[in-house]
Amino acid sequence: MLKKNIYIGLIGLAFIFITLSADFTTGSDGGIQFGWFSLVPPVVSIVLAFVTKNVIISLFLGIFAGAFVLHSVDGNVLTALVQSFLSIVEYALTSLADRYNAGIILQVLVIGGLIALMTKMGGTRAVANALASKAKGPVSAQVISWILGLFLFFDDYANALIVGPVMRPVTDEKKISREKLSFIVDATAAPVAGIALISTWVGYEVGLIQDGYEAIGQSVNAYSIFIETIPYRFYNILMLLFVVCTALFLKEFGPMLKAERRARKYDPTNIEDINPNPSSSELDEMEPIEGVKLSIWNAIIPIGTLIVAALVGFYFNGYNTIMAGEDTTLIQTMQNSPFSFAGIQEAFGASDASVVLFQAALLASLVAMAMGVKQKAFTWGEAVDTWINGMKSLIITGAILLLAWSLSASITDLGTADFLVSLLSDSLPAFLLPSIIFILGSIISFATGTSYGTMGILMPLAIPLAAGISGDPEFIVISAGAVLTGAIFGDHCSPISDTTILSSMGAGVDHLAHVQTQMPYAIAVGIISVIFGFLPAGLGLPIWIVLPVSMVVTAAFLYFFGKSIDEPESELD
């Protein structure tokens, strides 16, 4: 450990020396061009995360390193160090002051409190028992987790924070590793929300498509174009298939294979055996009140309240936003047919998901408290104490999210995404464009930890570029799909992505363990998406051939290259 700290210290000193001696150029807009140094924050955070095994320290040092690069222009090391520390504080305050970010922090904490209330009332235990009766073994337990992820299609955050805690007791009992559960949760969060016809993602994606087509002088129905991109969202579709195949074949590879083999040997009654490196233990330690009657309704009603309130909230929040806006076409749509499919889709897209989910979780918590008090599971005072105790389990999640957002702000100030675009978007043959866009989107979203930001950067470039290279409308659609799915792929791999963080916390597993086990799977599916998806699609092969072939290859890859977990036959479904 001492030797490792010495190495890190020496590398830090070398970094300071190299940064201070760097000669940064000035761009045409008068701004400083940091070039390769713009990659410092994500590289430092990601490398240190794997070296130190501590996400908080790694993110903090990544932000500090990025701020040091920004302030090193003056050449004074002492001033740069002081300003870097002050910048971390400023980034954190600015990130928390953002209405959307604050809403996410609040919804995360409140959902943690809601889960604690349901646990104390015996609701989660009852659901686990009910699901356990349906889940006869590891196959069905994983498939049920996957189905629940599909059911919560409307928002990736809600998915990550609900499916993990609900399914955790079931997968623990069936000796499925927490790492595998977090992978299933993560693989059915953004990949599902990104292609759902109605979700909190749709409005943003449709808006980017609309702007891209306007840039080339074309007036289109952006939502129709969005639907046309779905068959070309190879990574989303193939990842969903991949999850099912790992469950049905009971085959894994890489670090996940080790985690699953370890899980098959552990004692399901020993939490330390199940989760040797827990991120938080408050929810694991919570048990139903002694003597309380276990009822699935103590979980179904609060979660149902959360889902219904969220769906209603998405609509009315978006409706009010549209009616207060200046888009006369949308206002006309909402006035003439407010509950049509188009009206609902537009309202969902315009809603503030973070605020709505916070409101819905708060309402669901009040419902759970009232139910518990009525059943004499606890008093109002005990209900509040339990609720706050549940929040404690996700405070670490809030801290990581806050640091991840601060890192993103540092990355933006350094122009990391712009540098990557200029570095990787050279001239290329037409058929390679969708693949290059997918890879570029993957790199940017991995480095920045945000799929939304990556989509916003690339879509205005991809559609005009595709239109300039080829006048084929289908080619433009393929390129737009490559932006949307490439951003999700990189985000899925990134240890600094908010959905990756929430998935590990929801499943109750060490964050880096989740990243290490999931990354080989994401990379494998990403490679298949390029070789058997975007390359043949770019060459003009029909999608009705490309998509089925890529799905067969995905299943075959796991079947032939995955290794059996080697369970006794009697324990299989």
Side-chain angles (χ1 to χ4, degrees), residues 9-253:
L10 291 174
I11 292 172
L13 290 174
F15 163 72
I16 291 173
F17 176 77
I18 293 171
T19 304
L20 291 173
S21 60
D23 185 19
F24 300 121
T25 60
T26 303
S28 57
D29 59 354
I32 302 296
Q33 302 293 308
F34 292 97
W36 287 99
F37 281 88
S38 66
L39 299 177
V40 164
V43 169
V44 168
S45 296
I46 291 168
V47 170
L48 284 181
F50 287 106
V51 171
T52 66
K53 310 297 182 185
N54 190 306
V55 180
I56 296 287
I57 292 176
S58 302
L59 286 171
F60 182 89
L61 291 177
I63 301 165
F64 186 87
F68 184 82
V69 172
L70 280 169
H71 295 294
S72 65
V73 176
D74 296 334
N76 188 311
V77 63
L78 183 60
T79 301
L81 289 172
V82 172
Q83 289 296 330
S84 298
F85 177 78
L86 296 178
S87 292
I88 293 176
V89 177
E90 185 62 30
Y91 283 136
L93 290 173
T94 303
S95 298
L96 195 57
D98 182 272
R99 178 182 172 86
Y100 187 85
N101 292 349
I104 290 175
I105 294 287
L106 289 172
Q107 66 155 287
V108 165
L109 295 177
V110 173
I111 288 177
L114 174 63
I115 293 167
L117 289 168
M118 293 189 301
T119 302
K120 279 294 184 184
M121 290 192 296
T124 52
R125 172 71 65 81
V127 169
N129 292 344
L131 291 174
S133 66
K134 302 293 183 184
K136 304 300 182 182
V139 171
S140 49
Q142 292 179 71
V143 171
I144 289 172
S145 302
W146 180 80
I147 292 172
L148 281 179
L150 296 184
F151 180 71
L152 293 170
F153 63 88
F154 56 88
D155 185 75
D156 53 331
Y157 291 160
N159 185 320
L161 290 170
I162 292 175
V163 177
V166 168
M167 289 304 301
R168 199 188 305 168
V170 180
T171 53
D172 285 351
E173 182 184 336
K174 301 305 177 185
K175 297 187 177 182
I176 298 167
S177 66
R178 294 279 181 90
E179 289 89 340
K180 185 61 185 292
L181 175 60
S182 62
F183 165 65
I184 296 172
V185 169
D186 209 349
T188 56
V192 172
I195 59 175
L197 297 182
I198 293 178
S199 75
T200 54
W201 286 54
V202 171
Y204 181 70
E205 293 175 312
V206 169
L208 292 176
I209 292 172
Q210 181 75 45
D211 293 342
Y213 274 89
E214 286 178 356
I216 59 175
Q218 292 187 23
S219 178
V220 297
N221 183 326
Y223 188 70
S224 297
I225 298 295
F226 164 79
I227 294 175
E228 288 181 36
T229 66
I230 292 177
Y232 297 103
R233 309 279 280 277
F234 295 111
Y235 181 78
N236 300 52
I237 297 169
L238 298 182
M239 178 52 74
L240 293 174
L241 173 66
F242 185 86
V243 174
V244 177
C245 289
T246 61
L248 296 178
F249 299 160
L250 281 178
K251 289 188 173 185
E252 314 284 350
F253 60 86

Side-chain angles (χ1 to χ4, degrees), residues 374-394:
K374 184 178 180 181
Q375 296 171 24
K376 298 182 179 180
F378 38 63
T379 64
W380 279 105
E382 291 169 341
V384 173
D385 289 342
T386 300
W387 189 61
I388 292 173
N389 224 19
M391 288 185 179
K392 291 179 183 177
S393 67
L394 292 177

